[in-house]
Amino acid sequence: MDNPISTRTVLLRDLRLAIAALFTVFGLIVTITGLTVDEADLAKAQGVNLALWTGLGMLGLAAVFGIWLWRAPPEVPEGHDAGEISPPSGSGTD
């Protein structure tokens, strides 16, 4: 086994993917809530559909993180596995 760390593993550990996924899920929920708002709720917010705009903003942020991940994918380490990495010198384990 030449490379124990696969591209998929590195991608799943990238924080940008987790942020994009969470903002997508929550953005969809809030956007759907904003689409089903009634007149009483709009009156409370002076006619501004806050849930709809917040949900669309969250979906936009998810798109930014997704594009960033696509344009600058994480680097896959080559040539060693975790067992070959030694602790830094001066770590107090001498």
Side-chain angles (χ1 to χ4, degrees):
M1 196 156 98
D2 293 331
N3 188 6
I5 301 175
S6 68
T7 304
R8 181 174 182 230
T9 303
V10 172
L11 182 63
L12 287 175
R13 290 183 182 171
D14 195 341
L15 191 58
R16 295 174 293 182
L17 180 64
I19 292 172
L22 287 173
F23 270 100
T24 299
V25 170
F26 293 135
L28 285 172
I29 292 169
V30 175
T31 301
I32 292 170
T33 302
L35 292 173
T36 60
V37 71
D38 60 351
E39 292 299 321
D41 290 333
L42 282 177
K44 290 179 191 176
Q46 299 178 352
V48 178
N49 194 341
L50 296 174
L52 179 64
W53 286 109
T54 303
L56 292 175
M58 292 172 81
L59 289 173
L61 187 61
V64 167
F65 274 96
I67 291 169
W68 180 20
L69 182 61
W70 175 65
R71 297 282 295 161
E75 295 181 14
V76 179
E78 297 288 335
H80 62 79
D81 62 329
E84 295 176 356
I85 299 173
S86 60
S89 61
S91 63
T93 58
D94 297 330

